[in-house]
Amino acid sequence: MRKKLLSAVLTLAMIVSVFGSFSVIASAESAVAQVVDSNGNATNHTAFEDAWKAAVGGKATFKLLSDWKVNGKFGASEASLDSSLYFNGGALSVPPNYSVTIDLNGYKICRDKGVNNMTDDGSVIRLFDKATLTINDTSENKNGSIEGGSSNYGGGIYAPSNNTVTMNGGSIRLCNGYYGGGVYLDSSSTFIMNGGRIEQNTGCYGGGVYAEDDAVFETHGGAVSENRATADGGGIYLWSAQANLDNCSVSDNRAKNGGAIYSDYNVFKDYSYIVIKNSKILNNTADNYYGGIYHCAAGFSVLGNTRIAGNKNEGYYGGGVYLKKTCMYLSGNVQVYGNYSNGHPCDVNFGKCMDEAFRLEGRMGNDAM
């Protein structure tokens, strides 16, 4: 009997010496998320839902301590939504006029809905009127992600009404949406990208980002890459919206038309506008027309140390940049080269035939037209 007791004590001592404490094996009670207030005080939560409600309600930071798989539906219309509804068994929601910060902390928030399961409520995160969202990733590996959503509007982020989304790190990836595989912006919403990645998403219009009705997609860093659109705008689609791209990479995206960016307008709304500065538009592909950028009828500026190269399309129009009913303003050390349309060199095209296209060599002069 004493031998058995001694053996048990020794075994217990070995477990403690290896693991340090019993909290490691008490996984059922381990914290899965933290809520960090404006003073830096952190509160552990053992349920994701409780932590999300506390963070949104307190306008605090929701910090992941493990991966979160989100399921279900919104469960409420905008008319019935009130400040007590932050999560309802599915997409995370931010109520009207509320704000929250997410620190992915190297982990992921995933809907895991699949490509062929698009629904109106299939986004990972949904913002209501004038709600704001900030996305950070303070982890060393920077592998935090928002992924797996599948929605008719923005598989990753759905920001339809005067919203502001600021992305400082992490990624929005592997999402699917008819309008906006990764991100959907509407009604004067703004997405500010200071870092991170929008990548490997799929959509019909806008594989990475879809913006319309005076929405703004603005970058000061980050990348939009390896997204795909079955119709237009592999990386970004603008419909009476704006893209201000600074220090951004739009690369390796693919679409039927407009491999990198497809920009058009609603005749009842304002035009779309594009400013590209100190950025790279590289190696995008269109199966039909406009390998790099298609832009119609409003301001188009390319500034600073911008490079548009290696874009191609299988049809006859496009190559690097295709402009319709507008001009192209160049200023700085802009380089447009090595773009192809139907196997022919074609850097900038202002018309509907190859004869109206021209090839640019290397550096543009200052304030060149």
Side-chain angles (χ1 to χ4, degrees):
M1 183 67 179
R2 290 181 178 178
K3 288 183 178 181
K4 289 183 179 181
L5 180 60
L6 178 61
S7 176
V9 170
L10 290 173
T11 301
L12 180 61
M14 290 177 64
I15 291 174
V16 172
S17 67
V18 172
F19 292 105
S21 70
F22 287 107
S23 62
V24 175
I25 58 174
S27 58
E29 297 300 324
S30 297
V32 296
Q34 286 183 337
V35 175
V36 184
D37 66 20
S38 58
N39 295 317
N41 301 312
T43 303
N44 288 342
H45 289 262
T46 58
F48 288 112
E49 295 85 349
D50 293 340
W52 178 253
K53 291 176 184 179
V56 177
K59 298 183 179 180
T61 295
F62 172 85
K63 183 176 183 178
L64 285 172
L65 300 179
S66 63
D67 294 337
W68 184 9
K69 184 176 179 180
V70 185
N71 294 290
K73 299 181 177 181
F74 289 127
S77 66
E78 287 197 49
S80 64
L81 186 73
D82 59 34
S83 60
S84 67
L85 179 61
Y86 311 115
F87 176 84
N88 196 50
L92 310 184
S93 60
V94 186
N97 299 301
Y98 273 62
S99 65
V100 68
T101 297
I102 294 175
D103 181 359
L104 295 168
N105 193 32
Y107 297 101
K108 64 184 178 182
I109 302 174
C110 180
R111 286 291 306 262
D112 197 24
K113 283 179 61 63
V115 174
N116 299 315
N117 189 26
M118 284 192 296
T119 58
D120 284 346
D121 55 15
S123 304
V124 181
I125 301 173
R126 204 274 199 213
L127 283 74
F128 287 83
D129 188 45
K130 298 180 181 178
T132 64
L133 169 69
T134 301
I135 302 167
N136 297 327
D137 185 357
T138 61
S139 69
E140 184 176 351
N141 60 31
K142 306 300 181 185
N143 288 333
S145 64
I146 294 167
E147 62 181 65
S150 187
S151 175
N152 293 320
Y153 302 94
I157 305 292
Y158 180 26
S161 181
N162 298 291
N163 306 119
T164 300
V165 179
T166 303
M167 185 175 187
N168 298 316
S171 65
I172 299 170
R173 63 191 299 268
L174 300 176
C175 293
N176 182 53
Y178 191 85
Y179 297 104
V183 176
Y184 176 92
L185 306 170
D186 195 0
S187 300
S188 300
S189 291
T190 299
F191 191 106
I192 302 169
M193 190 177 192
N194 297 316
R197 306 172 305 281
I198 299 174
E199 61 184 4
Q200 299 177 5
N201 302 287
T202 58
C204 185
Y205 298 95
V209 177
Y210 178 98
E212 69 169 306
D213 196 10
D214 296 323
V216 177
F217 180 67
E218 175 182 324
T219 73
H220 304 280
V224 180
S225 61
E226 298 182 45
N227 302 285
R228 177 152 190 163
T230 55
D232 305 329
I236 301 166
Y237 185 100
L238 304 176
W239 183 247
S240 294
Q242 297 182 45
N244 301 318
L245 308 181
D246 186 4
N247 193 30
C248 179
S249 173
V250 183
S251 63
D252 299 300
N253 301 286
R254 192 178 191 112
K256 182 178 180 180
N257 302 303
I261 302 172
Y262 190 99
S263 173
D264 211 333
Y265 68 100
N266 183 338
V267 295
F268 301 105
K269 300 286 185 178
D270 200 359
Y271 295 136
S272 290
Y273 296 86
I274 297 177
V275 177
I276 303 172
K277 181 180 180 181
N278 299 325
S279 295
K280 299 175 182 179
I281 313 296
L282 303 177
N283 304 322
N284 300 283
T285 303
D287 298 324
N288 197 12
Y289 303 141
Y290 327 125
I293 299 170
Y294 170 87
H295 181 62
C296 180
F300 182 80
S301 300
V302 187
L303 313 171
N305 295 309
T306 292
R307 183 153 52 105
I308 302 174
N311 304 288
K312 63 182 180 180
N313 57 278
E314 302 302 325
Y316 282 96
Y317 316 132
V321 178
Y322 183 96
L323 300 174
K324 183 178 180 181
K325 302 178 184 178
T326 190
C327 62
M328 180 177 183
Y329 177 76
L330 302 173
S331 178
N333 188 33
V334 176
Q335 298 181 60
V336 186
Y337 65 92
N339 302 285
Y340 287 84
S341 179
N342 194 31
H344 302 283
C346 182
D347 293 315
V348 180
N349 189 195
F350 289 94
K352 280 285 188 178
C353 67
M354 286 296 295
D355 293 337
E356 297 179 59
F358 61 89
R359 184 178 181 181
L360 304 176
E361 294 288 349
R363 182 180 179 277
M364 301 292 98
N366 286 334
D367 296 318
M369 284 294 293

